[in-house]
Amino acid sequence: MATAPRVVIIGAGVVGVNIADELAQRGWTNTLVLEKGPLDLPGGSTSHAPGVVFATNGSKSMTEFAIYTIDKFSDLKTADGRGSFNHVGGLELATTPERLAELHRRAGWAASRGHEGRVIDASEAKRLYPLIDQDRVLGAYHTPRDGIALAVQANRLLIERTRAAGVEYRDATTVTGIDQAGGKVTGVFVNDGERIPADIVISAAGFWGPAIGELIGLKVPLIPLAHQYAWTTPLEVLAGRNEQPAGASLPILRHQDRDLYFREWGDRIGVGSYDHDPMPVDITTLEEYSASTITAEQMPSSLTFTPEHFAPAWEATQELLPDTRGAQIQKGFNGIFSFTPDGGSLVGEAKTLDNLFIAEAVWVTHSAGIARAVAQLLTQGYSEVDLGDSDVNRFEAAQLTREYVQTTSERNFVEVYDILHPLDPKKEPRGLRTSPFYEQQKALGAYFLEGGAWERPYWYESNAALLDELPDEWKPPQREAWAAKFSSPISAVEAYKTRTAVAMYDMTPLKRLEVSGPGAGTLLQRLTTGEMLRAPGAVTYTLLLDRAGGIRSDITVARLDEETYQVGANGAIDEAYLQREARCQTRNDPSQWVQVRDITGGTACIGLWGPLAREVISRVSADDFSNDGLKYFRAKQVSIAGVSVTAMRLSYVGELGWELYTSADTARFLWDALWEAGQESGIVAAGRSAFNALRLEKGYRSWGTDMTTEHEPGEAGLGFAVKATKTDFVGSRRLEARAAASTKRLRCLTIDDGTSIVLGKEPVYLDGTPVGYVTSAAYGYTVGRPIAYAWLPLSTDVGDSVEIEYFGTRVAATVAAEPLFDPDMTRLRG
């Protein structure tokens, strides 16, 4: 067996120690774990985390991480057989109708992921948790396998286990520098300058993570915020219930309508509160962390309790749990936790330095699951659970500024228990990233939502005047309140105009990368499933796979000249991957150097689509836009109204037209010229709501929603993107075996009643059993019925009947042949 690489892990909290253990289980024991403070008193969030584990999460991956953590901690037992997880169950209460509906949605998430949970009435909630005031409760969501993770005990047991396997630990050791050479990490500096060599370094430093990142100029987008936790004085009703002083037998409890959670501590109740303004913490002011100053009662992550902030929480506690009315707050603290701009964890390899990995902003709930994912990344090159929504590289440069991270992370604290719609935009900052067409869009009454810090038009109020002209068969049904949020019937007009006339779409937020240099073609040929060495002018839809053949992204690649490609990517994760691979290729062969550059901010894109698109563009361009002049999936340089444009013949809405790329300085002129030229053809500006509906009618997939690294091309319906004669690309060796073992397929569904609209993530039932989940959904304006895509068993086929559970109600649907619109591609190729 080859010698395992030398791994240095920074931080001996529940994340770092779990990573060491997961590596050891895979035969990697040449590991050193460094801890800033005393090893037996982890001073980060592990030391004070109450350990309440509610596994149900809007993210499928985070739910799976939590389930693994529950299972692993349950098996971590002391010498006398006590596990490190107490399965008391979880109980989330609803005191408003809106919350009760939300609990049904959460129960649906759990059902689709194999986690037991159900919505119960108030009387059953009272039976499970006798202390609640039943009259205040409308219902609850009960999860029997949730409970309390004993993080400190688990940490101690894991240290013992990994030490026995050969893992080393050093406490009282502060990392002061990261050593590197040739773009790769080579070691760390500690304390007074001692250098510790390393092949791989993993930062699991928790809220100290940004300080580690600063050592190499890496922005780690998290902030430490204080969160209040307090214990009551003993309650008579709990006397004698639990043998252990911190024992518990009642379920862990959430009162999310008041931003509270509770757990038993022997004969007391522990109360956690988010019912206060965010309290940012400057970690440079924390008490020095050393064995001589730290005790179990005084950790650097446990700040002085501020009763004035806790007053509303205590009042709400006494209202919900009447038995606390005669009690007092015995003690409390303000504990530091990590918050990020989108509430997710930060996991993966650093963008700018190879072999430096991050595992930050990870709560106890997900600790073992994420540790397993990190160990898999290191030992086999991929995680079996998709990391897209926790990838440390997912944020754009505009989202990494101190101000953006502070504002959005604090907002996530405020909204931690809020009921959020899938399209809920960030409240602030707004207007940070706007396309060159922003002023024209505002003048047309654009309704903006936010994504990736971009302002994105979803529909245009100027098109409301056309609603009366809409044919009856195009008019959508009235939506119920939840589905109607962030939607408008105006989108039907915009879809109609795209299908029958012509529409302009702002595609500027699409991530654009320029890949250039003598090795550009070689790089893309190695990383993608398509043929990249075609003649200049070729455009290819292709996939990036991980080593296991899972889909890490789908991209569009245009070869502009012999050494320049333009890549339409899905986001910053793709950029980081391509840059890392380009560094590796250049390092191995300097003559094949490659530069990967984000050109999004300096360019803009208009999607001009519809059956009348040619007559519009012919009015402002002398270039040949006929079928022969610019074939489907080809690109060329053209002049439109005197503006230099790269025109690509492709469409995500399934209609004739082009993506028209130009530099940001000439973009407004281009928009105005096309807009004026299109007036006699009935042109409209159209937004993302129509766009999403039209792309689903054509069966076009969206990465991160419809497919992830957990899916291979064939089962996702993208087998056509894998060139049959190409065999040597990342992931190719695993494709055949993985496809043969596949048990699921991405299927198109249509809703039988023609009116019920679902939004995504809902469970799908076959013969009364949950067998999959919805990915994307929309009302199909062209086909006149709601559409949903869903992962279903391989055995399902066209015509099969299924049910989608929407807020606790079953909606009948039918598996349909896809695409629903223009299966012969005559519109696109016409």
Side-chain angles (χ1 to χ4, degrees), residues 56-67:
T56 307
N57 190 291
S59 162
K60 174 178 175 289
S61 295
M62 298 307 277
T63 300
E64 292 177 357
F65 291 146
I67 292 171

PDB file of all heavy atoms in Angstrom, residues 56-67:
ATOM      1  N   THR A  56     -34.060  17.526   9.111  1.00  0.00           N
ATOM      2  CA  THR A  56     -34.786  17.992   7.933  1.00  0.00           C
ATOM      3  C   THR A  56     -34.299  19.367   7.514  1.00  0.00           C
ATOM      4  O   THR A  56     -34.240  20.295   8.317  1.00  0.00           O
ATOM      5  CB  THR A  56     -36.291  18.040   8.203  1.00  0.00           C
ATOM      6  OG1 THR A  56     -36.721  16.771   8.701  1.00  0.00           O
ATOM      7  CG2 THR A  56     -37.062  18.373   6.930  1.00  0.00           C
ATOM      8  N   ASN A  57     -33.966  19.475   6.234  1.00  0.00           N
ATOM      9  CA  ASN A  57     -33.389  20.708   5.717  1.00  0.00           C
ATOM     10  C   ASN A  57     -33.846  20.888   4.279  1.00  0.00           C
ATOM     11  O   ASN A  57     -34.083  19.907   3.574  1.00  0.00           O
ATOM     12  CB  ASN A  57     -31.855  20.615   5.800  1.00  0.00           C
ATOM     13  CG  ASN A  57     -31.152  21.924   5.526  1.00  0.00           C
ATOM     14  OD1 ASN A  57     -31.150  22.428   4.415  1.00  0.00           O
ATOM     15  ND2 ASN A  57     -30.537  22.475   6.560  1.00  0.00           N
ATOM     16  N   GLY A  58     -33.950  22.127   3.831  1.00  0.00           N
ATOM     17  CA  GLY A  58     -34.314  22.377   2.441  1.00  0.00           C
ATOM     18  C   GLY A  58     -33.302  21.821   1.472  1.00  0.00           C
ATOM     19  O   GLY A  58     -33.630  21.520   0.321  1.00  0.00           O
ATOM     20  N   SER A  59     -32.065  21.673   1.908  1.00  0.00           N
ATOM     21  CA  SER A  59     -31.010  21.086   1.091  1.00  0.00           C
ATOM     22  C   SER A  59     -30.983  19.576   1.281  1.00  0.00           C
ATOM     23  O   SER A  59     -30.860  19.079   2.394  1.00  0.00           O
ATOM     24  CB  SER A  59     -29.650  21.683   1.480  1.00  0.00           C
ATOM     25  OG  SER A  59     -28.593  20.880   1.015  1.00  0.00           O
ATOM     26  N   LYS A  60     -31.080  18.857   0.173  1.00  0.00           N
ATOM     27  CA  LYS A  60     -31.001  17.389   0.238  1.00  0.00           C
ATOM     28  C   LYS A  60     -29.671  16.963   0.828  1.00  0.00           C
ATOM     29  O   LYS A  60     -29.608  16.046   1.660  1.00  0.00           O
ATOM     30  CB  LYS A  60     -31.192  16.812  -1.162  1.00  0.00           C
ATOM     31  CG  LYS A  60     -30.999  15.305  -1.287  1.00  0.00           C
ATOM     32  CD  LYS A  60     -31.261  14.849  -2.717  1.00  0.00           C
ATOM     33  CE  LYS A  60     -30.962  13.361  -2.901  1.00  0.00           C
ATOM     34  NZ  LYS A  60     -29.506  13.083  -2.845  1.00  0.00           N
ATOM     35  N   SER A  61     -28.584  17.611   0.414  1.00  0.00           N
ATOM     36  CA  SER A  61     -27.257  17.226   0.907  1.00  0.00           C
ATOM     37  C   SER A  61     -27.143  17.421   2.412  1.00  0.00           C
ATOM     38  O   SER A  61     -26.622  16.555   3.123  1.00  0.00           O
ATOM     39  CB  SER A  61     -26.180  18.050   0.195  1.00  0.00           C
ATOM     40  OG  SER A  61     -26.143  17.764  -1.180  1.00  0.00           O
ATOM     41  N   MET A  62     -27.632  18.566   2.914  1.00  0.00           N
ATOM     42  CA  MET A  62     -27.508  18.831   4.343  1.00  0.00           C
ATOM     43  C   MET A  62     -28.333  17.840   5.158  1.00  0.00           C
ATOM     44  O   MET A  62     -27.931  17.446   6.264  1.00  0.00           O
ATOM     45  CB  MET A  62     -27.918  20.272   4.653  1.00  0.00           C
ATOM     46  CG  MET A  62     -27.040  21.319   3.975  1.00  0.00           C
ATOM     47  SD  MET A  62     -25.270  21.132   4.275  1.00  0.00           S
ATOM     48  CE  MET A  62     -25.100  21.929   5.860  1.00  0.00           C
ATOM     49  N   THR A  63     -29.472  17.433   4.638  1.00  0.00           N
ATOM     50  CA  THR A  63     -30.252  16.394   5.321  1.00  0.00           C
ATOM     51  C   THR A  63     -29.456  15.099   5.400  1.00  0.00           C
ATOM     52  O   THR A  63     -29.401  14.443   6.457  1.00  0.00           O
ATOM     53  CB  THR A  63     -31.579  16.153   4.585  1.00  0.00           C
ATOM     54  OG1 THR A  63     -32.336  17.358   4.551  1.00  0.00           O
ATOM     55  CG2 THR A  63     -32.397  15.065   5.270  1.00  0.00           C
ATOM     56  N   GLU A  64     -28.808  14.736   4.300  1.00  0.00           N
ATOM     57  CA  GLU A  64     -28.038  13.491   4.293  1.00  0.00           C
ATOM     58  C   GLU A  64     -26.811  13.587   5.205  1.00  0.00           C
ATOM     59  O   GLU A  64     -26.447  12.605   5.855  1.00  0.00           O
ATOM     60  CB  GLU A  64     -27.640  13.151   2.866  1.00  0.00           C
ATOM     61  CG  GLU A  64     -28.843  12.771   2.013  1.00  0.00           C
ATOM     62  CD  GLU A  64     -28.501  12.496   0.560  1.00  0.00           C
ATOM     63  OE1 GLU A  64     -27.318  12.660   0.188  1.00  0.00           O
ATOM     64  OE2 GLU A  64     -29.408  12.131  -0.197  1.00  0.00           O
ATOM     65  N   PHE A  65     -26.187  14.758   5.266  1.00  0.00           N
ATOM     66  CA  PHE A  65     -25.071  14.934   6.197  1.00  0.00           C
ATOM     67  C   PHE A  65     -25.552  14.742   7.636  1.00  0.00           C
ATOM     68  O   PHE A  65     -24.865  14.142   8.461  1.00  0.00           O
ATOM     69  CB  PHE A  65     -24.454  16.319   6.035  1.00  0.00           C
ATOM     70  CG  PHE A  65     -23.729  16.532   4.731  1.00  0.00           C
ATOM     71  CD1 PHE A  65     -23.734  17.773   4.117  1.00  0.00           C
ATOM     72  CD2 PHE A  65     -23.042  15.492   4.121  1.00  0.00           C
ATOM     73  CE1 PHE A  65     -23.067  17.980   2.913  1.00  0.00           C
ATOM     74  CE2 PHE A  65     -22.363  15.684   2.919  1.00  0.00           C
ATOM     75  CZ  PHE A  65     -22.381  16.935   2.317  1.00  0.00           C
ATOM     76  N   ALA A  66     -26.720  15.283   7.945  1.00  0.00           N
ATOM     77  CA  ALA A  66     -27.251  15.162   9.305  1.00  0.00           C
ATOM     78  C   ALA A  66     -27.594  13.712   9.634  1.00  0.00           C
ATOM     79  O   ALA A  66     -27.317  13.235  10.748  1.00  0.00           O
ATOM     80  CB  ALA A  66     -28.487  16.051   9.466  1.00  0.00           C
ATOM     81  N   ILE A  67     -28.189  13.004   8.709  1.00  0.00           N
ATOM     82  CA  ILE A  67     -28.548  11.604   8.954  1.00  0.00           C
ATOM     83  C   ILE A  67     -27.292  10.777   9.228  1.00  0.00           C
ATOM     84  O   ILE A  67     -27.266   9.928  10.138  1.00  0.00           O
ATOM     85  CB  ILE A  67     -29.342  11.034   7.764  1.00  0.00           C
ATOM     86  CG1 ILE A  67     -30.721  11.708   7.688  1.00  0.00           C
ATOM     87  CG2 ILE A  67     -29.489   9.524   7.874  1.00  0.00           C
ATOM     88  CD1 ILE A  67     -31.500  11.378   6.425  1.00  0.00           C
TER      89      ILE A  67
END
